[in-house]
Amino acid sequence: MKPSRLLSPLTLSLFTATVAVTSLTASIQAQAATDAMPSGEHSTQDVDITQPIKALDKLTSLQQDEKLDMTIPEFQHFTTSNGVPVIFFQTNQLPIVDVDLRFNAGSARDESIRKGGFGLASMVAGQLTKGTKQLDETEYATAAEQLGIELTSAAYKDQFAVRLRSLSDDEQLTPALQLMNSVVNEPRFDPKVLERSKAQQILGLKQMQQNPSYVASTTFNKALYDTHPYAHSSYGEVDSIGKINVADLKRFHDTYLVAENASLSLTGDLSLEQAKQVAETLTKDLPKGKPAPQLPTPKPLQRSKWVHVDFDSDQTSVMIGQQGYRIQPDQASIQQNTEFAIGNDVLAGSGFHSRLMGKVRKDLGYTYGIYGSMTPMQVNGPYTIRFSSRNEVADDAIKATLDTIDKTVAEGISTEEFELTKESLINSYPMGFSSNAGINGMLGMLNFNQLPDTYITEYIQRVEKTGLQQVNDTLKQTLTPDKLLIVTVGQPDIASDSVLKKYQ
């Protein structure tokens, strides 16, 4: 397979833009000195700063409006001998290989092993890289350091990931893969190391509880998901961490880190045949196991609700949101997600173009930043809007936020906002392919969620073909202003006639 050279048109465009910007000052100065003067003559008059700068009309590089030319990677699919699906992208530009092995095994599975065992998945992830059956903690750390690799593991709500980055030459890659294989299949789970890790985790949780943003996040999830597995933090809780033991770790590992729950993505300096060998090395020792059961569907709120946590702080941390949507592989759902992304970028994007940033920060000065995002997961993930505001204006900031949401959902976004956001999303999309790690992260998400390649390869086409009415309809269908959860953490001055009072 001939290696693709990613983003060469984009790189050229960025270089052209850089040159144009760099020369802008010089062009303005030169033109200002020679406006309306014959060639070769010099002006002795002062520049009239009330007149337009003619040099801007002559910067042809700024007038180009050519369609973005982007090379989308070609992905290859195959399956290992024990049934693990693999997605592979070959790129030979750097002598590096990125590996992403994921399991359907996040913190949502904690209580399936131990009742109230919140933080179990996270603890398993932490212990994987603290020794194998052959290597104790110190020996393992030495081996990883000598190989010069990055080998990490992490647990999320409904995913468990083990990742490797290594040089691609055999002397480095072969022992790195063997070490990763041992980490996944033969963890040490040393009782002494576990006790130390639990103490560190408990200390970390106590420190995080001093952060109002963290308190707001955990309070929001518990109020939004109630008894659902998504209700609890992946980090666990102070009371639950201390109860976890080695037997719990082993049971979680043996139940969920199996071939039936696994998916693998590879990106880097490998041939297809080498990629197949890498995949076999990493998965051949995985027990077949059983697929994790489908997570239950959470019940959404039936009316808006306000939850307050008193916290000694000059500012109030605020989270506003609802249950959103789940990841689905059909084209209609994928298109709808794209439509919502456009509308939400106008409403709550992180840039100054968004309505919430313009209203709550720029116009009213209530916060330094406000943004909202959707986190789709195996079942309905959360949609959240976050910001912090001074206690004395927090109530007004919340009202302004709710009013902006109401107006946007009711009236929709404008044609100008729509076109600007589409162009911004299209032009920023290639940055996701600017590194091997970025590409492999996309592939890992794609493979784990069993999404078609078109989810990535036809993103720009989906944005381009989306219409304004589709976006506004999707906003109305997705956001429910009369069923929002509002969480405040701090000491806000709540007016007697505040809208929050009716949500208590």
Side-chain angles (χ1 to χ4, degrees):
M1 173 181 172
K2 184 178 180 180
S4 300
R5 295 187 61 83
L6 289 180
L7 306 183
S8 53
L10 176 64
T11 303
L12 179 60
S13 299
L14 291 174
F15 175 75
T16 302
T18 302
V19 171
V21 173
T22 303
S23 61
L24 181 58
T25 302
S27 299
I28 292 173
Q29 292 172 341
Q31 189 64 36
T34 58
D35 274 353
M37 297 295 292
S39 177
E41 296 187 19
H42 301 279
S43 172
T44 58
Q45 299 178 351
D46 292 335
V47 176
D48 185 353
I49 61 174
T50 65
Q51 298 301 310
I53 300 174
K54 296 182 179 179
L56 291 178
D57 293 332
K58 297 182 180 181
L59 290 175
T60 56
S61 63
L62 297 181
Q63 296 176 341
Q64 295 175 358
D65 190 24
E66 297 178 1
K67 184 178 178 180
L68 177 67
D69 183 12
M70 176 186 172
T71 302
I72 297 290
E74 293 183 7
F75 311 136
Q76 301 185 67
H77 296 261
F78 57 89
T79 304
T80 65
S81 59
N82 61 349
V84 176
V86 184
I87 184 168
F88 167 58
F89 171 63
Q90 179 185 17
T91 172
N92 307 106
Q93 293 178 325
L94 295 171
I96 292 174
V97 173
D98 282 283
V99 179
D100 187 316
L101 179 60
R102 299 195 190 195
F103 298 91
N104 185 357
S107 62
R109 311 291 176 178
D110 287 347
E111 283 204 290
S112 69
I113 303 300
R114 168 185 277 274
K115 183 67 175 176
F118 310 120
L120 176 55
S122 178
M123 193 59 62
V124 172
Q127 295 302 294
L128 287 188
T129 54
K130 287 184 169 60
T132 67
K133 286 185 178 179
Q134 295 79 23
L135 304 173
D136 65 22
E137 184 180 22
T138 302
E139 292 168 337
Y140 167 82
T142 300
E145 183 177 357
Q146 288 178 342
L147 288 171
I149 62 174
E150 294 179 15
L151 181 51
T152 61
S153 56
Y156 308 98
K157 289 284 189 184
D158 54 15
Q159 299 184 45
F160 189 108
V162 184
R163 299 186 178 95
L164 169 69
R165 163 166 277 205
S166 170
L167 292 174
S168 58
D169 64 277
D170 289 340
E171 289 186 3
Q172 257 44 61
L173 184 57
T174 299
L177 294 172
Q178 292 171 346
L179 185 60
M180 181 174 177
N181 181 287
S182 296
V183 161
V184 173
N185 293 291
E186 299 180 333
R188 195 173 188 87
F189 292 150
D190 187 318
K192 292 182 179 179
V193 176
L194 174 60
E195 289 305 312
R196 188 184 71 235
S197 297
K198 287 163 56 176
Q200 292 171 340
Q201 183 85 333
I202 290 172
L203 178 60
L205 285 168
K206 289 180 177 179
Q207 291 174 337
M208 286 191 289
Q209 288 172 352
Q210 303 306 310
N211 184 330
S213 295
Y214 177 78
V215 174
S217 181
T218 55
T219 302
F220 182 89
N221 286 331
K222 287 180 180 180
L224 187 64
Y225 287 106
D226 194 22
T227 60
H228 190 272
Y230 284 173
H232 298 274
S233 168
S234 297
Y235 294 109
E237 299 172 358
V238 170
D239 293 338
S240 66
I241 292 296
K243 299 174 184 177
I244 295 173
N245 57 45
V246 170
D248 296 330
L249 302 184
K250 290 180 177 179
R251 188 178 169 201
F252 186 99
H253 172 271
D254 295 345
T255 301
Y256 293 114
L257 271 60
V258 297
E260 282 292 325
N261 277 334
S263 62
L264 178 66
S265 63
L266 304 170
T267 296
D269 186 20
L270 298 170
S271 66
L272 177 58
E273 187 58 36
Q274 288 173 323
K276 290 181 177 180
Q277 293 173 0
V278 168
E280 282 299 318
T281 298
L282 292 175
T283 62
K284 61 185 176 64
D285 295 327
L286 286 174
K288 188 68 173 177
K290 296 180 180 180
Q294 175 67 36
L295 292 169
T297 300
K299 296 179 181 179
L301 294 178
Q302 297 305 305
R303 58 181 292 272
S304 291
K305 180 180 181 180
W306 173 38
V307 178
H308 175 67
V309 178
D310 193 62
F311 194 94
D312 186 11
S313 174
D314 293 335
Q315 290 197 334
T316 297
S317 290
V318 181
M319 288 186 67
I320 300 173
Q322 62 175 75
Q323 288 181 25
Y325 47 73
R326 60 187 291 262
I327 297 174
Q328 299 185 83
D330 62 284
Q331 292 297 330
S333 296
I334 293 173
Q335 179 63 37
Q336 189 174 43
N337 295 350
T338 302
E339 294 160 6
F340 179 79
I342 295 171
N344 183 65
D345 196 68
V346 174
L347 169 63
S350 58
F352 282 91
H353 64 280
S354 81
R355 290 187 173 187
L356 285 176
M357 189 75 86
K359 183 66 176 181
V360 185
R361 172 178 170 161
K362 185 179 178 182
D363 294 347
L364 300 174
Y366 288 157
T367 184
Y368 284 111
I370 178 171
Y371 59 92
S373 61
M374 179 74 76
T375 307
M377 296 192 287
Q378 288 186 35
V379 292
N380 302 353
Y383 174 76
T384 56
I385 294 172
R386 302 167 180 257
F387 67 93
S388 294
S389 186
R390 302 187 314 278
N391 287 332
E392 60 269 24
V393 297
D395 192 16
D396 292 331
I398 292 169
K399 183 179 185 305
T401 299
L402 296 176
D403 288 346
T404 303
I405 296 171
D406 285 346
K407 181 177 180 180
T408 302
V409 171
E411 301 177 6
I413 65 174
S414 69
T415 301
E416 182 180 1
E417 290 171 319
F418 171 69
E419 294 296 341
L420 180 63
T421 299
K422 283 178 62 175
E423 182 178 1
S424 174
L425 291 176
I426 290 171
N427 290 336
S428 63
Y429 187 62
M431 297 309 296
F433 300 91
S434 61
S435 69
N436 285 10
I439 296 171
N440 208 48
M442 285 188 179
L443 299 190
M445 175 276 300
L446 194 78
N447 205 14
F448 178 85
N449 293 297
Q450 300 178 10
L451 293 167
D453 288 0
T454 54
Y455 185 88
I456 293 177
T457 60
E458 295 183 3
Y459 173 79
I460 291 177
Q461 293 93 316
R462 287 199 303 276
V463 174
E464 288 177 333
K465 77 176 186 180
T466 298
L468 176 60
Q469 189 61 50
Q470 292 173 287
V471 170
N472 287 332
D473 288 345
T474 298
L475 280 175
K476 279 188 177 182
Q477 295 165 9
T478 306
L479 298 182
T480 53
D482 60 335
K483 298 176 183 178
L484 292 175
L485 172 63
I486 305 163
V487 170
T488 55
V489 178
Q491 294 179 335
D493 296 335
I494 304 300
S496 58
D497 61 346
S498 170
V499 67
L500 294 177
K501 295 288 188 178
K502 65 180 181 180
Y503 299 149
Q504 287 180 307

